[in-house]
Amino acid sequence: MKKPARQSALSFKRRLLAWFRKHARPLPWRSTRDAYRVIVSEFMLQQTQVARVEEYYPRFLTRYPTVADLARARPAAVRESWEGLGYYRRAANLHRLARVVMKEHSGTIPGDPETLRSLPGVGAYTAGAVASFAYERREAAVDTNVARVLARAFLKAGTRDERRGTSTRPREIWALARALLPRSGKTAWEFNQALMDLGATICVARKPRCEICPVRRQCNTGRQAS
Ligand code: SF4
């Protein structure tokens, strides 16, 4: 993959971070660096809208405040606590994960993406998200929203899936996300969260709102929409 021009990448990051510092969504899982709380939010968000997760997340954590509490629970009770969120396979995986963490990792959720990926229900995105959002490691976390933003901003038309606005080449997008990461893990945390917020609120799937986008001038699609 051709790296984005240094100047353009720098200004994309600077503008995105400035926008995020003013407009970040105040999501409850952003105020913690507790890996268990972060991983619960990531499992819930896998197939459920943010508004619904905001409702169920505190309830679930009240019932299972620690990974040890979750590991001790009966499968039927965990499933019951997940009711309303659907896709129960996630609850079963999270429960299995808690038991593996207690048994094989002394009750501490790992911070290294490779080890995270060995846990039940954890794919590349969730591993990157937990490493970045809980441990502030300098790791990329590419979900659908992030992939769409990066594809529209940096890939050329023809290498994107224009209907969905995302990339036809996931590996290329991951490489791009890594190349763009700020040097410090703390700023990488903000950068990853900012990409997600931009994808969820402005660079939306159907019709991107380029006219109000903070990185419009740094974006291949936005410049063409001018
Ligand atoms: S300018 Fe448009 S296409 Fe580019 S990132 Fe912003 S909203 Fe998305």
Side-chain angles (χ1 to χ4, degrees), residues 4-5 8-9 18 29 80 101 195 201 210 225-226:
S8 149
W29 43 89
E80 187 201 311
V101 166
L195 281 174
T201 61
C210 302
S226 303

Side-chain angles (χ1 to χ4, degrees), residues 149 152-153 198 202-203 208-210 213 215-216 219 221-222:
V149 172
R152 283 174 174 162
L198 193 76
I202 293 185
C203 194
R209 301 161 69 201
C210 302
C213 181
V215 293
R216 184 177 183 174
C219 169
T221 308

Side-chain angles (χ1 to χ4, degrees), residues 110-176:
D112 150 55
E114 218 175 290
T115 315
L116 279 160
R117 284 201 70 171
S118 69
L119 299 174
V122 176
Y125 162 73
T126 306
V130 173
S132 172
F133 300 153
Y135 293 102
E136 296 188 355
R137 285 193 178 212
R138 188 177 174 271
E139 295 290 343
V142 180
D143 68 353
T144 316
N145 282 342
V146 171
R148 186 174 61 247
V149 172
L150 295 179
R152 283 174 174 162
F154 292 102
L155 299 191
K156 291 206 171 68
T159 62
R160 296 191 300 255
D161 175 339
E162 300 300 341
R163 192 172 57 82
R164 289 185 302 162
T166 188
S167 169
T168 51
R169 299 182 230 165
R171 268 199 201 174
E172 190 172 15
I173 287 293
W174 271 91
L176 182 54

